Amino acid sequence: MSSTNEQQYWTQRYQQERTGWDIGYPSTPLKTYIDQLTDTALKILIPGAGNAYEAEYLWQQGFTNVFVLDVSPIPLKAFQERNPDFPKTQLLQEDFFQHQDQYDLILEQTFFCSFVPTAKNRFAYAQHMASLLKPTGKLVGVWFDFPLTHDMEKRPFGGDKELYLKYLTRHLNMLVFEPCYNSISPRKGTELFGIFKLQSGYR
């Protein structure tokens, strides 16, 4: 699917308020991880951020170097309205695969599971995530843990630990990848929490 089609698809979902993934606050697994961070100077990217409650929480905790990326303008506008002091230059309406920069930390909130689950898309995701990390950077986040169906329209798409590692470990080393112990009630048993870093010698 082209970036134009992706933008149209997600913008339509927001316009129609078909946003069942939106819980209205930071997800517990990511909030718990954020709460143990001590370096507020970290350069952080949240791709496919939607309404970006995790970015809002980081901003409130004094993390000023946070970048919010989404292909649709609607959630970015809503975020700016909720957080008028947040720098507009750190709100990025872009295609993730076209974005170029380097980050200490990338926070993943089931963004991987939003793409049509072809091998090409999933390998491209892993490769581009690796390219966006600084040599000591980390990819930290949540992936859905439920069966991947053949319905190419039923987003978000699922998978399991073994399937995800097939793609992610092409460029990244797994530090943690286990079932979430602190998922919100409706998602208990359906989420994996992972921490990955660049493979030695990637750059």
Side-chain angles (χ1 to χ4, degrees), residues 6-60:
E6 285 286 288
Q7 179 181 335
Q8 291 172 345
Y9 173 85
W10 291 109
T11 295
Q12 186 177 59
R13 289 284 296 259
Y14 283 105
Q15 289 170 335
Q16 296 173 349
E17 298 183 356
R18 292 191 297 126
T19 54
W21 65 84
D22 189 324
I23 61 175
Y25 53 86
S27 76
T28 310
L30 287 186
K31 181 180 180 296
T32 300
Y33 180 81
I34 290 168
D35 284 343
Q36 55 82 48
L37 296 175
T38 57
D39 184 359
T40 57
L42 289 171
K43 187 175 182 181
I44 302 171
L45 174 69
I46 306 181
N51 282 308
Y53 302 110
E54 289 78 19
E56 189 168 353
Y57 183 68
L58 283 161
W59 180 250
Q60 292 167 349

Side-chain angles (χ1 to χ4, degrees), residues 61-80:
Q61 304 309 307
F63 290 83
T64 59
N65 209 10
V66 179
F67 292 78
V68 179
L69 185 151
D70 203 277
V71 73
S72 172
I74 292 179
L76 296 175
K77 181 180 179 183
F79 181 91
Q80 185 73 69

Side-chain angles (χ1 to χ4, degrees), residues 135-150:
T136 57
K138 291 179 180 177
L139 168 64
V140 176
V142 177
W143 288 257
F144 280 129
D145 186 18
F146 52 72
L148 178 63
T149 71
H150 295 290

Side-chain angles (χ1 to χ4, degrees), residues 6 24 27 59 69 73 83 111 155 157 175:
E6 285 286 288
S27 76
W59 180 250
L69 185 151
N83 303 276
F111 176 51
R155 306 192 196 205
F157 301 105
L175 301 180

